[in-house]
Amino acid sequence: MTSSEISGFYRKGAQERWQVLREFGGLSDAELATIGNTGALAFDQVNRMIENVVGVHPLPLGVAMNFRVNGRDVLVPMAIEEPSVVAAASNAARMARKRGGFAASTSGPVMIGQIQLVGVPDPHGARLTILAHRDEILASANEKDPVLVKYGGGAKDVEVRVVETARGPMVVTHLLVDCRDAMGANAINTMAEAIAPRLEAWTGGRVYLRIISNLAVRRLARARAVFDKEAIKTDELSGEEVVEGILEAFAFADADPFRCATHNKGIMNGIDAVVVATGNDWRAVEAGAHAYAAWKSGGYRSLTTYEKDREGNLVGTIELPMPVGLVGGATAVHPTAKANVKLLGVKTASELAEIIASVGLAQNFAALRALATEGIQRGHMSLHARNIAATAGAVGDEIDRVAEVLVRERKVRMDRAAEVLADLRGKMDK
Ligand code: MEV
């Protein structure tokens, strides 16, 4: 089979779909069994979540320890393939505990739906015409989601902007919708589509796009932590020196987009892992985070800040859009996501957002502390060394013993692992 033009794949049963992969990609029965092992999910369940399903792609699920958020201890599930992320978050959370852990809050769960009007002869006049119909717009939007309205959410306000573009001015209406415990994309897109014809009728323009904005500046999550200087010192450096190092690292990121992309990526290591573990849309969170980092002060900046308090302790903060939900979407149907939400003990989307922001701050603090002191590789290397040791044939206790030597010698390589293992086994035989 050579053509990828395959119609009706979605109508085939699992066996037939696997047969296509077998023929097209030369996949073996063992490989197909791996892909087709849907674990905690029934094939039917996965099949209803997306199209053309052939199986699942599992990720490791770890649990971060030591987190205290708004006075409550939480164990935080994190789904991620990258070594060291869970350990780093747990370490940072332990260091934050001395000064009470994380104090987090949210702005409320308001998302923005955009409606694009083009070809309006008098854009500024049209703006005021639309604003004059605010109540009518809100009423017709809210008719589309009585359940959301019943729970205290729904469309709450209207804003209109005139945006200059390469194709002339566009009149862009923002519908502000309180999404309560839903992520809200479906509700917002439905509302935006419903009110569009009225906007055309009032302004004489033509509507094109009607869609949620991921720059969710009205759905922010924030967290703050004080890292006691004594709690963050290392074997080689005093607490004061570590604080200074982290301040230098933060200043670098906040001034230089090349560094800032990596700095913010480190934040997202923690954030995405919890977002994925709870079945939320990590692309929406990623898009919102980076757009916010660029939007809030006219250049790409750090999502976190660091300062010293009067006593010389390090004060860290984070603020970013956090469009996550608990109802609707995968969170409500994915059994692992449901168990993870239960473990977190959160009852509202805002509480979840607060924990996620705290993890982002912890992750960033851990990365900066490592980078500004011993460097990131040593921590990374110990887990990597265990993988190398196992690949070289070490089993049971041998794995840790071989890995220890590789890390100590800073030679985390297969050839050295094989030598160390042979040596170890030689000694055992004697
Ligand atoms: C690696 O996944 C993340 C870091 O690069 C983040 C950073 O540099 O701040 C360690």
Side-chain angles (χ1 to χ4, degrees):
M1 191 184 289
T2 51
S3 173
S4 63
E5 193 176 7
I6 302 169
S7 67
F9 188 81
Y10 69 96
R11 272 191 246 110
K12 297 183 192 293
Q15 293 292 343
E16 286 174 293
R17 291 182 194 177
W18 293 330
Q19 184 56 26
V20 172
L21 306 194
R22 191 179 279 115
E23 286 170 24
F24 192 96
L27 298 199
S28 67
D29 285 348
E31 285 159 342
L32 288 169
T34 304
I35 290 177
N37 177 358
T38 51
L41 300 157
F43 190 89
D44 269 1
Q45 224 171 357
V46 193
N47 203 25
R48 281 194 298 272
M49 288 171 111
I50 65 165
E51 307 73 38
N52 294 353
V53 163
V54 292
V56 297
H57 178 83
L59 281 174
L61 177 68
V63 180
M65 305 289 131
N66 308 323
F67 273 87
R68 192 166 178 78
V69 180
N70 292 337
R72 189 171 76 86
D73 276 30
V74 279
L75 293 183
V76 185
M78 300 177 80
I80 185 162
E81 83 299 340
E82 185 173 328
S84 303
V85 170
V86 178
S90 304
N91 264 334
R94 184 175 42 73
M95 293 178 204
R97 286 181 84 85
K98 187 160 179 198
R99 297 267 165 172
F102 299 85
S105 62
T106 60
S107 62
V110 175
M111 299 290 288
I112 300 168
Q114 292 194 295
I115 301 136
Q116 173 203 24
L117 266 172
V118 307
V120 180
D122 55 338
H124 292 277
R127 175 173 173 270
L128 293 204
T129 306
I130 295 169
L131 286 171
H133 287 88
R134 174 184 176 274
D135 292 348
E136 194 179 332
I137 292 172
L138 295 180
S140 89
N142 283 331
E143 266 172 28
K144 290 283 158 195
D145 205 327
V147 178
L148 186 58
V149 174
K150 191 177 124 204
Y151 284 102
K156 300 288 183 190
D157 210 350
V158 177
E159 286 174 346
V160 187
R161 300 158 55 230
V162 177
V163 179
E164 294 300 334
T165 79
R167 291 176 66 90
M170 296 181 184
V171 180
V172 180
T173 302
H174 284 189
L175 189 63
L176 308 188
V177 182
D178 182 328
C179 299
R180 298 283 91 198
D181 291 324
M183 188 277 188
N186 274 332
I188 288 177
N189 297 341
T190 308
M191 289 179 179
E193 288 185 9
I195 59 177
R198 289 170 203 236
L199 302 190
E200 285 184 332
W202 293 326
T203 63
R206 167 144 189 219
V207 166
Y208 279 90
L209 273 57
R210 297 142 294 168
I211 188 76
I212 194 166
S213 168
N214 285 119
L215 178 51
V217 296
R218 291 169 183 271
R219 198 175 199 172
L220 300 177
R222 311 177 179 109
R224 170 182 180 275
V226 178
F227 297 94
D228 188 286
K229 61 178 188 296
E230 284 309 306
I232 65 176
K233 67 183 178 202
T234 67
D235 290 345
E236 285 87 28
L237 298 174
S238 69
E240 282 83 5
E241 286 171 315
V242 174
V243 169
E244 289 307 315
I246 293 175
L247 292 174
E248 298 291 358
F250 161 60
F252 179 16
D254 211 36
D256 175 18
F258 286 90
R259 167 60 201 147
C260 199
T262 319
H263 171 100
N264 285 343
K265 187 271 182 185
I267 295 172
M268 302 315 288
N269 276 344
I271 288 184
D272 284 342
V274 189
V275 172
V276 172
T278 56
N280 275 290
D281 179 349
W282 79 92
R283 286 84 55 210
V285 175
E286 278 280 340
H290 295 288
Y292 188 68
W295 172 84
K296 78 175 167 173
S297 46
Y300 187 73
R301 306 281 294 274
S302 170
L303 291 165
T304 53
T305 65
Y306 291 92
E307 304 154 307
K308 261 190 294 195
D309 70 8
R310 256 181 239 293
E311 299 158 36
N313 303 306
L314 187 73
V315 182
T317 72
I318 187 167
E319 183 180 65
L320 78 171
M322 194 51 65
V324 290
L326 291 179
V327 298
T331 309
V333 292
H334 193 301
T336 317
K338 284 197 323 200
N340 288 337
V341 168
K342 184 171 177 189
L343 174 66
L344 282 166
V346 291
K347 297 282 176 283
T348 64
S350 292
E351 280 177 74
L352 175 60
E354 288 166 2
I355 293 175
I356 296 174
S358 304
V359 175
L361 177 58
Q363 206 71 56
N364 182 236
F365 164 81
L368 298 192
R369 179 171 176 271
L371 287 166
T373 58
E374 64 180 17
I376 208 79
Q377 284 309 87
R378 196 157 131 202
H380 273 298
M381 279 305 158
S382 36
L383 201 53
H384 184 51
R386 298 180 69 214
N387 281 330
I388 295 280
T391 314
V395 287
D397 290 355
E398 291 172 345
I399 295 178
D400 279 344
R401 296 176 67 182
V402 172
E404 205 185 297
V405 178
L406 301 185
V407 171
R408 183 161 17 89
E409 293 180 348
R410 297 185 186 233
K411 283 188 193 154
V412 185
R413 296 192 320 249
M414 277 293 287
D415 57 335
R416 184 61 189 138
E419 278 170 20
V420 175
L421 181 62
D423 197 33
L424 191 73
R425 287 185 177 165
K427 280 186 191 141
M428 301 284 277
D429 289 344
K430 283 180 194 151

